[in-house]
Amino acid sequence: MKRIELTVDSEKPVTLEKFLVKKGVSRRLLTRLKRVEGGMTRGGETVRSIDTVNRGDVIVLALEDDSFLEPNGALNVPIAFENESLVVFDKPCGMPVHPSVKHQGDTLGNFFAHRYPGLTFRPVNRLDRDTSGLCMIAKDALAAKLLQGSCKKVYYAAVHGNIPERGTIDAPIARERESIILRCVREDGQRAVTHYTKLLGSERYSLAEIDLETGRTHQIRVHFAHIGAPLAGDDLYGGLRDDISRQALHCGRLSFKDPLTGEPITVSSELPGDIKALFPTGGIIWKR
């Protein structure tokens, strides 16, 4: 059971329900709170959603977590940032975020279950198994709802060839008809837009800083393959593994507002060694 304190900031008296909805509490979560004994309290006393609350009142929400993942304390994932509402892990390549048929105990979810027993695993952003970098997990349902869709992500990718200094790839993405994994650019696909800036280059590769306007599955990988510059190591979409054994993609920056205070927060992660090694300078100018 996790408890969250919210201080009423309305100028005029309002019902508890109106205050909570304004704070981002979903109707579904509100219904769950009503059904839990002591789910919503003020000064230690239960308060109903129809009751009036006043400026300065401290409302305590008691949130239950009921899902389960097998804890694995043998894993070790660095924490880039943490507060009472969320944690941002610096996920290594090769680690899936979610358990699957082939991965039942070696995922970020299993490490989270070990470090935070009793909390539900609620990823805000998801990374492919072989994509490294920042992955945010909300510690409760309210934080998950407030953070969803409001987190700005910046990626870094090493791609084959010499790309323009900056550009935008606007090309719809669809699932390959004969595959459940592969994606492709196709006219009947969903709109997908990728903005990029070239940071540096070598004889074989360019390092791009990438801002996604949309978030389609495999978007970065598909879009750069579409313009003839597949990611280094991404053999699924035409990249070569001569110099790196996985797709050279890293989530290097997350920007968001704290779900409780509204404070702007930016978290950064250094470019990993296997991507740095693709460039003569060691990627030292990647962080700008």
Side-chain angles (χ1 to χ4, degrees), residues 6-263:
L6 298 174
T7 301
V8 178
D9 54 4
S10 303
E11 292 295 335
K12 297 180 180 180
V14 294
T15 64
L16 176 60
E17 180 172 346
K18 286 185 178 180
F19 166 68
L20 291 178
V21 169
K22 182 180 178 182
K23 283 295 182 181
V25 175
S26 67
R27 299 287 181 180
R28 182 180 177 185
L29 178 55
L30 189 58
T31 299
R32 287 175 55 193
L33 289 167
K34 291 177 183 178
R35 294 173 178 171
V36 176
E37 185 176 352
M40 300 179 290
T41 59
R42 173 179 52 189
E45 300 292 332
T46 297
V47 59
R48 301 171 301 169
S49 61
I50 60 173
D51 290 339
T52 298
V53 294
N54 300 285
R55 184 178 181 85
D57 285 351
V58 177
I59 307 301
V60 179
L61 307 181
L63 304 178
E64 289 184 322
D65 282 303
D66 52 10
S67 64
F68 177 78
L69 288 174
E70 187 70 35
N72 187 349
L75 301 173
N76 184 26
V77 185
I79 292 176
F81 176 83
E82 182 176 15
N83 63 19
E84 63 184 75
S85 299
L86 60 97
V87 56
V88 179
F89 291 105
D90 199 349
K91 187 187 82 67
C93 69
M95 173 179 281
V97 173
H98 287 283
S100 63
V101 174
K102 294 182 179 180
H103 296 274
Q104 284 295 312
D106 58 350
T107 72
L108 183 60
N110 299 114
F111 179 69
F112 180 89
H114 162 73
R115 188 172 179 90
Y116 306 98
L119 292 188
T120 295
F121 185 58
R122 305 176 191 271
V124 176
N125 68 305
R126 293 169 172 79
L127 301 178
D128 292 337
R129 182 185 67 187
D130 286 335
T131 298
S132 56
L134 302 173
C135 187
M136 180 191 296
I137 314 299
K139 292 183 178 179
D140 57 73
L142 177 59
K145 181 180 184 301
L146 294 174
L147 289 165
Q148 203 65 52
S150 65
C151 181
K152 179 178 173 57
K153 302 174 283 289
V154 176
Y155 289 87
Y156 297 86
V159 304
H160 284 279
N162 182 24
I163 60 174
E165 291 301 314
R166 56 181 44 83
T168 294
I169 308 169
D170 187 343
I173 291 177
R175 177 181 291 177
E176 283 280 12
R177 291 188 173 91
E178 303 301 322
S179 174
I180 62 172
I181 298 173
L182 283 171
R183 300 299 193 270
C184 64
V185 169
R186 204 169 63 220
E187 288 186 1
D188 63 344
Q190 293 179 300
R191 183 171 185 262
V193 182
T194 301
H195 306 284
Y196 69 87
T197 301
K198 179 181 175 182
L199 298 183
L200 72 160
S202 67
E203 290 185 4
R204 299 192 66 184
Y205 306 110
S206 298
L207 181 65
E209 181 179 83
I210 300 162
D211 178 17
L212 295 179
E213 186 174 319
T214 55
R216 309 303 177 200
T217 299
H218 293 181
Q219 178 172 319
I220 293 172
R221 301 165 67 183
V222 172
H223 268 177
F224 278 94
H226 177 65
I227 65 170
L231 272 61
D234 191 5
D235 55 357
L236 191 64
Y237 290 104
L240 301 178
R241 292 203 167 194
D242 298 352
D243 301 311
I244 189 169
S245 61
R246 55 101 175 191
Q247 70 252 18
L249 182 60
H250 182 73
C251 183
R253 191 160 71 241
L254 291 181
S255 299
F256 54 94
K257 290 185 178 180
D258 183 277
L260 293 182
T261 67
E263 175 190 0

Side-chain angles (χ1 to χ4, degrees), residues 156 198-201 207 209 271 276 279 281-288:
Y156 297 86
K198 179 181 175 182
L199 298 183
L200 72 160
L207 181 65
E209 181 179 83
L271 201 65
K276 285 182 179 180
F279 300 93
T281 61
I284 59 173
I285 68 166
W286 80 276
K287 189 182 295 184
R288 303 195 307 169

